[in-house]
Amino acid sequence: MGKDKLRRFAEMATFSNVFEPVLEEVFNKDYKLKGKWSSEFGNKNPIVLELACGKGEFTVAGAERDSESNFIGIDIKGNRMHRGAKHCLENNIGNARFLRTQIDFITSLFDKDEVDDIWIIFPDPQPQKNRARKRLTGTMFTDRYKRVLKPGGYVHLKTDNAGFYAFTLEQIEKHGFKVEV
């Protein structure tokens, strides 16, 4: 691991807008902010998640554009996330947070009906057949999204991968989801 990456990890650990729950805080138990994200933001504005946020471009842009919503970027790769989190701190963007954790734990992090919208933007398509269960539009994940999304909430998807798109359409049909374009 490079020195710059280690420096970013250390710096990010001091950021007030970044949460890095350890496995013991989310594995088969509720994270301390589950059901309390409105209190963390200090308002009851809608909560929008960006899954696999990378550098957090959508989270940052959304927070800058829409001060009436709260944005949370989630990714396991903290090295990337550092950029968006730091930008928000340096520019006093108070309606953005970042969670460095696995998306698998979404139901440990968010309560029933706590999330208004979920965005999945150009995720890793996990093209290998043995990695299908890791696809963010697969059954395991969509079942979890349904548990945290408010009634009428949406899962928005952007992809440029034909295989992932085809897989997602199969999942939509299999589960009877509604598609809006």
Side-chain angles (χ1 to χ4, degrees), residues 22 29 40 48 97 108 119 131-132 135 147 160 165-166:
V22 295
K29 68 186 287 189
E40 164 56 32
V48 178
R97 302 289 186 276
S108 294
W119 284 82
R131 304 212 24 135
R135 295 179 191 146
R147 286 191 258 166
D160 56 1
Y165 180 72

Side-chain angles (χ1 to χ4, degrees), residues 7-168:
R7 179 195 59 76
R8 284 193 294 271
F9 283 158
E11 184 179 26
M12 207 164 68
T14 69
F15 290 178
S16 59
N17 63 347
V18 174
F19 300 88
E20 301 179 88
V22 295
L23 185 61
E24 294 78 25
E25 293 178 290
V26 292
F27 187 73
N28 291 329
K29 68 186 287 189
D30 293 342
Y31 184 58
K32 63 185 176 184
L33 288 173
K34 180 177 180 173
K36 299 175 184 162
W37 285 101
S38 291
S39 297
E40 164 56 32
F41 283 103
N43 62 56
K44 296 216 181 270
N45 293 344
I47 294 175
V48 178
L49 303 184
E50 178 188 10
L51 303 183
C53 72
K55 296 173 188 168
E57 291 106 329
F58 176 85
T59 298
V60 172
E64 287 176 326
R65 183 186 69 252
D66 180 6
S67 62
E68 298 300 313
S69 293
N70 298 317
F71 293 82
I72 302 173
I74 304 174
D75 206 313
I76 192 63
K77 306 274 185 167
N79 189 38
R80 297 182 206 160
M81 186 183 292
H82 176 271
R83 179 182 287 175
K86 186 170 186 169
H87 175 84
C88 288
L89 287 177
E90 289 173 344
N91 293 280
N92 297 314
I93 300 169
N95 62 327
R97 302 289 186 276
F98 296 86
L99 266 166
R100 183 173 177 230
T101 189
Q102 294 177 349
I103 296 166
D104 301 47
F105 298 119
I106 195 167
T107 57
S108 294
L109 298 161
F110 298 95
D111 212 353
K112 182 179 181 337
D113 303 339
E114 189 171 17
V115 175
D116 292 84
D117 283 301
I118 294 174
W119 284 82
I120 306 170
I121 303 171
F122 300 106
D124 182 342
Q126 306 286 348
Q128 305 87 342
K129 201 169 209 154
N130 66 339
R131 304 212 24 135
R133 69 171 213 80
K134 295 215 170 251
R135 295 179 191 146
L136 293 180
T137 56
T139 301
M140 177 181 77
F141 288 106
T142 55
D143 285 347
R144 292 174 186 178
Y145 304 156
K146 287 191 282 188
R147 286 191 258 166
V148 301
L149 269 174
K150 289 183 178 175
Y154 288 93
V155 176
H156 306 267
L157 174 68
K158 287 188 169 200
T159 185
D160 56 1
N161 184 284
F164 184 73
Y165 180 72
F167 171 82
T168 301

